[in-house]
Amino acid sequence: MPWSAENSATPGGYEKELKGTSDATGLIRIEPRYGSELRFFIDGQPLAKEMEQRSLRVSRDPNESTVKKEAEDNGHIWHYAVIGELCRTYPDIEKRPGEPFPPQFHFPSDQSLKGLKIRTNELEKRHVIEICPFRAWELVLHHQKDYSMANAINLGAAASLAYANDNVFDTSSISRFFITQCQDLSKLPQLHKGSYITNTLAQDVPFSERYSPPVFMDTSRDTSGTEGGSKGDGDTQLFYVYNNDKIIISWRGTASLYDVGTDLVFRPIDTESCNINKVQCTSLLPKGKVHEGFWNGYTRFERKFRDEIATLERLVGSLKLFICGHSLGGALALVHAATLNNSKPLLYTYGMPRTFTRDAIQQLSGLTHYRHVNDNDPVPAVPPEANVDNEFYRLWGPVGGVLGGLWSSLVQLPLWQIVEWGDCFWHHGNPVVLLTTTQSREWKDCKRSYPDPAGCIILKNRMPVKTKLYLVPALAEQVAQEAGKNQKEFIHSLTAKDLADYFPEGKNPDRGADLTFGDHFMTAYMPYINNKLLELIDDKGLSKKRHFTEHKDNVKKFEEQMKEEGLEMPDKEAERNTKFLNLEKMLDISLTATLSIKNGNNILERFACYGEEEIENA
């Protein structure tokens, strides 16, 4: 590595006099001509190129460096430096619109291009310089059909970020996350949502492979005063961000009264999209219909951002595509994924309502989608599982879109009538259910007065311990496939019939009637994903001295209660809970993809190093 040094010969400044090249081990020997302070430099371009190839150690605290301990144990002087503190000139770094230059973490404004100072009284010592790699953070994502906890937490974070804005001065903004946080190697990138903060699961990549500045699109913005601008249209928002091999598209959920109106207008309509003059129209799906409000929201985006969509489609053609969204954003994400189905999108949604009718859903069977439902979140229960394309719409138009939906939701209809209505709203995707599981005690209470004959009634009450389980039915099929011919363990835990009974296709599992709107927010989804990921890392022995048992302890108490009260539990309830517990234990294979990538163990260990559990069942 080429280096140079300046010797402070006089109080007036530095005299350039020393230069050379390090040996193959990085050793440099300097013989100063004067017994005065040195400024030491390494050529910026070769240093940046080399340090792009070096991976980060797990801990981000310089004081926890093993290099430091070894150096000081040997009596050497240890330094920790970013490349900007060693360069005399900037290396060749691509300057991207919207990014600060130079990169603030690697080139701190008060220390860059000044070199490393070696004091006069330290000239006779050996100095060990530990250099921070020239890297950036990337969210760990796996483009695969199998469920991944890495995808769950990181696409959940991206879905939450869609509610933020693109103001670089806002600490919780989309731009600050992908530009500032993903370039700050002192800590993991964090999701900030109100008072809630959680880490993302990140890996370090060469700085040249960092995220490009995110692109935020908002149909409500009035840009008619600018060249090529347009008037605001509705209230639909999304952002996308990409690097050298992946692109993330995240749609915003319900965030305004206009969005509420979009949610309520759920007449099923054909998926027909027309150009601005309605000269040419195309249909997304040959059969089935789509929720009118969601379709209108999506087509507003198509109308307003034609040029941006063309750019986005060019990017999608060469990158691994990830799409996500929460609530209304999940519905729009599904519509968008359907339009990009040929690009093999991977879709993760959270608390999304039904979007397409059954016939349309059957056209999207090849689309990989994991749909998260948190306990009693009411939004996945709407629109109702009925064909609401009825006389109200024909008589009242848009107003009937609301009246017809309310009529179908509120009137108690027998199942045979709903079925006869035909093409009803269905859910798409593999359910991922965060389900509070309870158990009951059942006994007979008999009349004991004599001489009358005794009569008995069945009494039932709920036991005190409950727990929330993390259930991914698709994992049961994956475990069965991996088991090959020896499927005894799988057969005794969950069968295909069990999955169909507990998690019916196109519908929600039985969650009871106690729908709770508080379960709908992403701040109610993310803690359970975070806790389960920490627990799985701990179970793999990668959390070192830290242990994460919040979720595990709750499940253990529930299992102990089942053993103690097993004789008085209803048989069907005991059988269901046993199968659910077995299903949750399959979740450990959701870390397989992360463990298999380069430095996968370090990535998980780092998340555990800085992770904190959330209290469950508070």
Side-chain angles (χ1 to χ4, degrees):
M1 194 66 61
W3 60 269
S4 62
E6 295 177 343
N7 187 230
S8 178
T10 67
Y14 296 92
E15 177 187 355
K16 293 183 181 179
E17 57 175 11
L18 303 167
K19 63 175 60 178
T21 304
S22 68
D23 70 10
T25 68
L27 182 65
I28 295 170
R29 186 180 297 277
I30 299 177
E31 298 288 349
R33 298 178 186 176
Y34 311 100
S36 55
E37 180 181 286
L38 279 179
R39 289 277 178 172
F40 173 76
F41 300 90
I42 301 178
D43 284 10
Q45 189 58 38
L47 177 63
K49 183 178 179 180
E50 177 64 29
M51 297 313 297
E52 270 204 310
Q53 308 310 313
R54 304 295 184 98
S55 297
L56 296 179
R57 53 177 163 78
V58 171
S59 173
R60 302 316 311 134
D61 184 351
N63 292 314
E64 295 179 1
S65 165
T66 56
V67 176
K68 177 183 180 181
K69 184 179 186 307
E70 182 180 352
E72 293 181 345
D73 286 349
N74 289 318
H76 307 322
I77 297 175
W78 171 83
H79 304 268
Y80 187 80
V82 293
I83 65 171
E85 296 173 273
L86 297 172
C87 298
R88 187 190 299 277
T89 58
Y90 293 118
D92 184 16
I93 303 172
E94 180 188 1
K95 298 179 182 179
R96 298 173 178 174
E99 276 188 337
F101 186 88
Q104 295 175 342
F105 175 81
H106 294 285
F107 294 86
S109 58
D110 59 336
Q111 300 173 56
S112 290
L113 309 185
K114 295 182 178 179
L116 182 70
K117 182 167 66 175
I118 310 295
R119 295 183 175 87
T120 302
N121 62 345
E122 298 174 341
L123 291 173
E124 301 302 322
K125 293 275 191 177
R126 172 174 287 198
H127 295 257
V128 176
I129 307 172
E130 183 178 358
I131 307 172
C132 178
F134 189 35
R135 310 279 278 186
W137 293 120
E138 176 193 45
L139 299 181
V140 178
L141 294 171
H142 307 292
H143 201 274
Q144 59 183 37
K145 288 187 174 295
D146 298 331
Y147 185 73
S148 162
M149 286 297 295
N151 291 351
I153 195 163
N154 286 336
L155 293 176
S160 297
L161 272 172
Y163 287 95
N165 55 41
D166 60 341
N167 183 353
V168 294
F169 300 106
D170 185 344
T171 57
S172 62
S173 72
I174 301 165
S175 295
R176 284 289 286 270
F177 181 89
F178 286 104
I179 296 178
T180 305
Q181 288 201 58
C182 286
Q183 294 181 20
D184 181 357
L185 301 182
S186 65
K187 59 184 179 181
L188 287 169
Q190 294 180 319
L191 169 67
H192 294 258
K193 194 166 181 63
S195 60
Y196 179 75
I197 300 175
T198 190
N199 291 320
T200 55
L201 186 69
Q203 63 182 332
D204 55 296
V205 295
F207 191 79
S208 58
E209 297 177 13
R210 68 195 182 279
Y211 287 114
S212 291
V215 177
F216 181 74
M217 288 178 267
D218 181 354
T219 65
S220 69
R221 286 185 179 175
D222 188 342
T223 58
S224 55
T226 62
E227 183 178 354
S230 59
K231 292 184 177 181
D233 183 9
D235 194 18
T236 301
Q237 297 89 7
L238 77 153
F239 77 84
Y240 72 85
V241 66
Y242 67 95
N243 58 10
N244 67 313
D245 68 336
K246 300 180 186 72
I247 183 167
I248 303 169
I249 303 173
S250 178
W251 289 79
R252 180 181 293 185
T254 304
S256 69
L257 287 176
Y258 198 103
D259 290 336
V260 173
T262 297
D263 296 337
L264 286 176
V265 182
F266 47 76
R267 179 174 68 143
I269 62 171
D270 292 329
T271 58
E272 185 178 69
S273 178
C274 303
N275 64 19
I276 194 167
N277 298 316
K278 291 193 174 183
V279 174
Q280 183 177 359
C281 297
T282 57
S283 181
L284 174 61
L285 298 169
K287 291 179 63 178
K289 297 184 178 183
V290 64
H291 179 298
E292 181 179 23
F294 302 154
W295 185 246
N296 288 342
Y298 177 78
T299 54
R300 278 194 292 271
F301 155 72
E302 281 192 328
R303 286 195 302 269
K304 188 172 177 66
F305 295 108
R306 294 189 300 278
D307 293 341
E308 289 85 348
I309 290 172
T311 300
L312 181 57
E313 289 177 346
R314 284 195 297 273
L315 290 169
V316 164
S318 59
L319 301 172
K320 296 174 183 175
L321 173 58
F322 299 84
I323 308 180
C324 61
H326 166 251
S327 190
L328 164 63
L332 294 170
L334 175 57
V335 174
H336 197 196
T339 68
L340 297 173
N341 203 7
N342 290 336
S343 299
K344 299 181 180 178
L346 186 65
L347 176 63
Y348 275 56
T349 61
Y350 306 81
M352 68 169 286
R354 298 181 181 95
T355 305
F356 287 103
T357 60
R358 182 183 55 199
D359 287 350
I361 292 298
Q362 291 172 348
Q363 312 299 308
L364 298 172
S365 58
L367 173 61
T368 302
H369 173 200
Y370 286 97
R371 175 177 62 86
H372 295 72
V373 180
N374 181 36
D375 220 7
N376 291 318
D377 181 351
V379 173
V382 296
E385 291 175 7
N387 184 352
V388 292
D389 193 3
N390 53 55
E391 194 64 27
F392 278 93
Y393 304 124
R394 289 186 283 276
L395 291 175
W396 297 96
V399 176
V402 178
L403 292 178
L406 293 174
W407 176 77
S408 301
S409 304
L410 299 177
V411 176
Q412 297 298 312
L413 297 171
L415 180 62
W416 64 265
Q417 189 171 352
I418 293 177
V419 172
E420 281 195 352
W421 277 358
D423 193 16
C424 56
F425 277 109
W426 259 29
H427 270 302
H428 179 271
N430 299 298
V432 178
V433 188
L434 309 179
L435 185 66
T436 295
T437 307
T438 61
Q439 49 197 9
S440 307
R441 182 186 293 108
E442 191 175 83
W443 70 97
K444 289 183 178 181
D445 187 25
C446 298
K447 182 180 178 183
R448 299 184 182 279
S449 58
Y450 296 96
D452 297 333
C456 298
I457 59 173
I458 301 294
L459 296 180
K460 185 177 181 179
N461 70 355
R462 184 171 292 178
M463 295 185 200
V465 179
K466 61 183 179 180
T467 189
K468 184 178 282 191
L469 299 179
Y470 200 123
L471 306 176
V472 186
L475 291 179
E477 182 179 352
Q478 184 181 343
V479 169
Q481 291 173 348
E482 292 180 1
K485 295 180 180 179
N486 183 16
Q487 297 187 16
K488 291 181 180 179
E489 183 179 347
F490 169 70
I491 292 171
H492 287 131
S493 59
L494 274 171
T495 66
K497 183 179 183 304
D498 291 327
L499 295 176
D501 289 342
Y502 298 137
F503 307 98
E505 182 184 2
K507 302 183 180 182
N508 293 315
D510 183 9
R511 301 178 291 156
D514 183 24
L515 299 179
T516 308
F517 196 73
D519 287 340
H520 180 58
F521 300 111
M522 280 305 297
T523 49
Y525 279 79
M526 291 298 286
Y528 286 92
I529 300 173
N530 173 75
N531 282 8
K532 191 62 187 179
L533 178 54
L534 287 171
E535 177 195 316
L536 294 173
I537 295 172
D538 190 2
D539 289 345
K540 296 290 184 183
L542 296 174
S543 59
K544 302 304 179 183
K545 296 180 181 179
R546 304 191 72 195
H547 295 287
F548 301 98
T549 62
E550 172 66 24
H551 182 77
K552 185 187 300 184
D553 286 347
N554 282 317
V555 174
K556 184 178 179 180
K557 291 175 185 175
F558 187 78
E559 289 179 307
E560 289 172 349
Q561 180 178 259
M562 285 182 64
K563 291 178 183 178
E564 293 170 2
E565 307 292 345
L567 294 176
E568 294 186 345
M569 288 178 59
D571 291 343
K572 286 187 177 180
E573 190 176 277
E575 181 183 2
R576 181 204 64 181
N577 290 349
T578 299
K579 292 181 184 297
F580 280 0
L581 289 165
N582 287 336
L583 179 58
E584 196 194 54
K585 290 172 183 175
M586 297 177 185
L587 201 58
D588 68 328
I589 64 174
S590 66
L591 286 187
T592 302
T594 306
L595 288 167
S596 66
I597 64 175
K598 182 181 179 181
N599 297 322
N601 283 26
N602 287 351
I603 292 166
L604 296 173
E605 184 182 335
R606 184 182 296 119
F607 185 82
C609 178
Y610 295 103
E612 297 293 339
E613 288 183 298
E614 302 285 340
I615 297 176
E616 297 184 7
N617 300 331

